[in-house]
């Protein structure tokens, strides 16, 4: 059907269908974490290994949701399923480097804090980074594997690569960037169940922690959704997610009491300013061989240009 201005508009009911499929996918992902009955906490290696199995199965099946959505919605034209999900070779090198570099710029303050506090020299750091034994130790650490590899890969695949192709055609890129992280944020609420189960803190503390985590994951989810839509690649969001998991939330209170407070706080401010300055140039779709609005099967007037 056509709109008054002449551009194509999505068929009636497509948004409800998209939201329904996204909700099903989010429930499928979170539900897979709880198919294993266990009295052990989430950081126990046995729990992590079992959850690896279920989330990897769910992630492997998640493209079927996008395929089923396309079939149900009658969206037959446009790119292949893999291209829609950001799995392609064109523009791969910039997609690996630029979004991660942009995220590192945002974390300039915390990185400066780490550099100032780190007892190692720069050459020591380089030596460790190229030491295969270091990476072998990491790969044998279940918590490291979960936080740096499995969670970033599976969450970005399910919550960005599978959901955005379903949300963008009906809502447009800007609205999709705001709505997509809500599924991601709600999906992290399951941590609250675990905190309550193992009595880890007071009720108020657990509630405030949940609100903070929802807000943080929603903002972060909007950022990686922005990167996914602008670059048309899955690899950028995955690397940014892994980096942010490693860095954690910036320790601003520690920065305020730091011996080199002026240097560290200046880095925080400079990082944020440079991030907003470079946000659009570093994610320019032309660097990533991305045809304008690949995701919008029903072209919309704006595509985050």
């Amino acid at each position: 059907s056509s709109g008054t201005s002449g551009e194509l508009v999505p068929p009636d009911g497509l948004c409800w269908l998209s939201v329904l499929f996204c909700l099903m996918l989010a429930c499928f992902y979170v539900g897979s974490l709880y198919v294993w009955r266990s009295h052990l906490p989430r950081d126990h290696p046995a729990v992590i290994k079992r959850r690896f199995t279920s989330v990897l199965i769910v992630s492997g099946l998640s493209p079927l949701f996008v395929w089923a959505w396309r079939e149900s919605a009658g969206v037959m034209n446009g790119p292949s399923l893999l291209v829609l999900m950001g799995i392609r070779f064109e523009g791969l090198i910039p997609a690996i480097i630029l979004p991660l570099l942009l995220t590192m710029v945002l974390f300039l303050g915390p990185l400066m804090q780490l550099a100032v506090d780190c007892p190692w020299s720069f050459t020591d750091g380089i030596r460790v980074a190229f030491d295969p034994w270091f990476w072998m130790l990491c790969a044998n650490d279940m918590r490291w594997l979960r936080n740096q590899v499995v969670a970033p890969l599976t969450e970005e695949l399910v919550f960005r690569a599978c959901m955005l192709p379903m949300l963008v055609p009906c809502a447009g890129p800007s609205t999709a960037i705001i709505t997509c992280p809500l599924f991601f944020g709600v999906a992290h609420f399951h941590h609250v169940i675990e905190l309550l189960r193992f009595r880890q803190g007071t009720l108020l503390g657990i509630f405030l922690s949940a609100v903070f985590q929802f807000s943080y994951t929603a903002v972060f989810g909007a950022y990686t959704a922005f990167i996914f839509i602008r670059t048309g690649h899955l690899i950028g969001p995955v690397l940014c997610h892994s980096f942010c998991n490693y860095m954690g939330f910036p320790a601003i209170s520690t920065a305020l009491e730091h011996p080199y407070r002026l240097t560290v706080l200046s880095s925080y401010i400079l990082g944020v300013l440079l991030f907003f300055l470079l946000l659009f140039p570093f994610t320019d779709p032309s660097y990533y061989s991305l045809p304008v609005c690949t995701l919008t099967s029903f072209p919309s007037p704006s595509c985050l240009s």
Side-chain angles (χ1 to χ4, degrees):
S1 56
S2 291
T4 51
S5 57
E7 83 273 0
L8 289 169
V9 295
D12 293 337
L14 180 70
C15 276
W16 289 111
L17 193 67
S18 300
V19 169
L20 178 66
F21 271 75
C22 288
L23 269 175
M24 283 162 55
L25 198 48
C27 293
F28 192 36
Y29 186 90
V30 177
S32 75
L33 301 174
Y34 290 93
V35 292
W36 314 98
R37 291 185 72 82
S38 174
H39 301 294
L40 298 168
R42 68 186 288 268
D43 285 339
H44 193 283
V47 173
I48 294 173
K49 279 181 185 175
R50 286 200 292 256
R51 287 181 168 186
F52 277 1
T53 307
S54 51
V55 296
L56 288 169
I57 291 169
V58 166
S59 303
L61 295 173
S62 61
L64 292 175
F65 279 77
V66 189
W67 175 83
W69 171 84
R70 282 184 95 176
E71 290 290 312
S72 308
V75 184
M76 299 316 294
N77 58 329
S80 71
L81 205 60
L82 285 179
V83 169
L84 262 187
M85 291 170 59
I87 301 164
R88 59 195 184 93
F89 287 111
E90 299 86 4
L92 186 62
I93 303 300
I96 291 169
I97 298 166
L98 294 178
L100 182 60
L101 193 60
L102 181 66
T103 311
M104 290 172 88
V105 166
L106 178 62
F107 278 79
L108 189 62
L111 286 170
M112 178 63 78
Q113 224 168 317
L114 272 180
V116 169
D117 295 341
C118 188
W120 294 357
S121 69
F122 182 72
T123 48
D124 286 338
I126 295 293
R127 202 175 297 123
V128 168
F130 285 96
D131 182 358
W133 284 108
F134 168 74
W135 294 107
M136 285 281 284
L137 280 171
C138 288
N140 286 318
D141 179 351
M142 286 295 118
R143 290 206 305 179
W144 185 91
L145 265 183
R146 178 191 64 196
N147 297 340
Q148 308 313 136
V149 181
V150 178
L153 182 62
T154 60
E155 287 179 6
E156 292 305 317
L157 175 66
V158 170
F159 291 93
R160 246 64 72 187
C162 288
M163 288 192 186
L164 284 167
M166 295 192 280
L167 291 170
V168 172
C170 92
S174 303
T175 310
I177 281 172
I178 298 161
T179 53
C180 185
L182 300 180
F183 296 103
F184 184 56
V186 168
H188 280 72
F189 255 105
H190 71 91
H191 294 319
V192 179
I193 301 164
E194 307 224 340
L195 291 173
L196 289 169
R197 262 183 71 198
F198 294 100
R199 306 280 190 274
Q200 294 174 338
T202 62
L203 270 177
L204 180 65
I206 290 169
F207 174 73
L208 291 174
S209 160
V211 170
F212 172 75
Q213 191 172 30
F214 175 79
S215 309
Y216 180 53
T217 52
V219 170
F220 172 76
Y223 171 57
T224 54
F226 174 88
I227 289 171
F228 182 84
I229 289 175
R230 293 273 295 175
T231 67
H233 274 279
L234 174 61
I235 189 71
V238 170
L239 293 174
C240 293
H241 194 143
S242 183
F243 174 76
C244 289
N245 276 3
Y246 173 75
M247 292 300 292
F249 193 78
I252 298 162
S253 57
T254 316
L256 291 167
E257 296 162 10
H258 203 279
Y260 298 100
R261 187 167 58 229
L262 190 64
T263 308
V264 170
L265 290 177
S266 300
S267 303
Y268 267 86
I269 295 162
L270 182 63
V272 172
L273 289 175
L274 282 173
F275 171 77
F276 284 108
L277 201 68
L278 299 170
L279 183 61
F280 278 87
F282 269 41
T283 59
D284 187 328
S286 63
Y287 295 151
Y288 307 95
S289 311
L290 181 68
V292 178
C293 298
T294 298
L295 290 178
T296 47
S297 305
F298 306 98
S300 62
S302 76
C303 198
L304 295 173
S305 53

